[in-house]
Structure formats: structure tokens, C-alpha cells
Amino acid sequence: MNFAPYQDESPEVERALSPPLGRTKPTPPPQISSPPPFSYQRAANTYANNSSNGYMSSSSTGFGSRDLESGTRANLAAFETSLPIRVDYEAMMAYLLLPPAGGVLLLLLEHKSDYVRFHAWQSSMLFSAIFILHLIFSWSSFISWLMLLGDICLIAYLSLRAYRDVDSLEHYEVPIFGRLANSFVDDE
């Protein structure tokens, strides 16, 4: 008995035909011209006209850079999440939804995206430690207000990094808690 995989042994029926023999016109040499200067509006219109993926509208408004950004982020639907929210928005929510509660909530609800789970772990651990520091320094209103200002800056920076780094799925790690969050996501 022959257990070889099935192979089609039928001859090729259709082939590409060669051009007919005969005299052909000589082709002129290609003309080299400089490209037109770059325009964000033209690039946005070109991308909008050529894309048919349904994730962005075909009209561009204003300067066009917003359409370019949404066009590059249109392929984020390929990354699956447990919630019906895009990956970049979900990662930002880990920092913006009343940290550390937002991170804990995403750890409970999100099971598919390691990128979101990393940011949820990092947010929940980092802001839990910061909350403890707030309790320790609650005796001084000046230090408390200064720490609150630092918290707001840290939340803004980390949520911006979570939003921007989703294109490369690069994790921005806060020194101690980022490494821990990475190890927790790897162990899951």
C-alpha cells in the first residue's frame, strides 16, 4: 500500500501565452521626474480613496493629519479583546478609569489581549503603591497636593504611551512595577 500524500499529476492546461512574433515598436526610455512636494491633505485623500476597509470615512477634514492617524489605527480591529473596545482605548482605560480600580476592573474583564492585561497589571500595582504613599503623607496638605499633581502627570503620560505604543505592541515599563507586570502576563 502506498501512503504517499495525494498529488495532482494532471498536466497544466492553461499557460500564459508569449507575445506574438513580429516587429514591435521600440519602447521609449522612461522619463524621470521629481515627485510633487508632500502634502498631508493629498496623502489623506489618497489613503481615503484607496482604502476600502470600512474603518475610516472617505472624507478628510482640515489639515489631514487626523485622517492619517485614524488610517494607521484602522487595522487595530485585528487584535481581539474580550470587550467590544479597541485595544488602544482599552489600554488607556487602565490608567484613566480611577486608578487602581480601572486596572483591577480590566484584569477581571479582559482575557484575550496581553497588551491590555500588561497595562492593567502595571496600573493596578503602581497606583496601589501610590495610594499607600498618599495615606502615609496625608498629614501634609502641601505634599498631598504635590503628589496629586504628580499623579495626574503620571496618568496622562502612561495613558498616552499606552495609546501610542499599540502600533508596535511595545510595553512601556515603569521601573519596578513594569517588570512585575510583564512577568505576571507571561505566567498567565
Side-chain angles (χ1 to χ4, degrees):
M1 262 190 156
N2 186 3
F3 291 107
Y6 175 74
Q7 293 180 351
D8 186 19
E9 296 178 10
S10 62
E12 286 186 34
V13 177
E14 296 180 22
R15 293 186 181 192
L17 300 176
S18 300
L21 294 175
R23 297 187 63 106
T24 59
K25 293 182 184 179
T27 57
Q31 296 180 357
I32 299 173
S33 64
S34 63
F38 182 76
S39 164
Y40 284 106
Q41 185 66 36
R42 188 174 341 112
N45 288 338
T46 303
Y47 184 80
N49 291 335
N50 290 339
S51 70
S52 60
N53 56 13
Y55 289 106
M56 64 179 278
S57 64
S58 61
S59 66
S60 63
T61 59
F63 192 62
S65 62
R66 186 74 180 149
D67 284 343
L68 286 177
E69 180 181 326
S70 66
T72 58
R73 296 204 172 256
N75 59 359
L76 291 180
F79 301 116
E80 284 191 37
T81 60
S82 299
L83 302 173
I85 304 171
R86 286 181 12 185
V87 176
D88 50 354
Y89 294 154
E90 237 180 273
M92 282 178 47
M93 284 174 33
Y95 301 107
L96 294 176
L97 288 179
L98 193 63
V104 173
L105 180 69
L106 282 174
L107 283 173
L108 294 174
L109 298 177
E110 179 60 52
H111 301 290
K112 291 183 180 178
S113 175
D114 287 341
Y115 183 76
V116 174
R117 289 191 63 79
F118 165 78
H119 286 289
W121 273 112
Q122 179 169 283
S123 171
S124 60
M125 290 187 298
L126 174 68
F127 288 105
S128 294
I130 289 176
F131 179 73
I132 292 171
L133 284 176
H134 275 281
L135 291 177
I136 292 172
F137 290 107
S138 64
W139 55 269
S140 170
S141 64
F142 176 74
I143 294 175
S144 294
W145 281 106
L146 196 63
M147 287 178 60
L148 178 66
L149 183 65
D151 291 347
I152 292 170
C153 292
L154 189 61
I155 288 170
Y157 179 72
L158 290 175
S159 61
L160 183 67
R161 286 298 303 253
Y163 178 76
R164 285 187 178 172
D165 292 343
V166 76
D167 293 329
S168 62
L169 294 179
E170 178 183 330
H171 298 169
Y172 178 75
E173 296 181 356
V174 175
I176 295 169
F177 302 105
R179 204 171 317 139
L180 281 170
N182 234 346
S183 67
F184 288 155
V185 170
D186 289 342
D187 290 343
E188 291 178 342

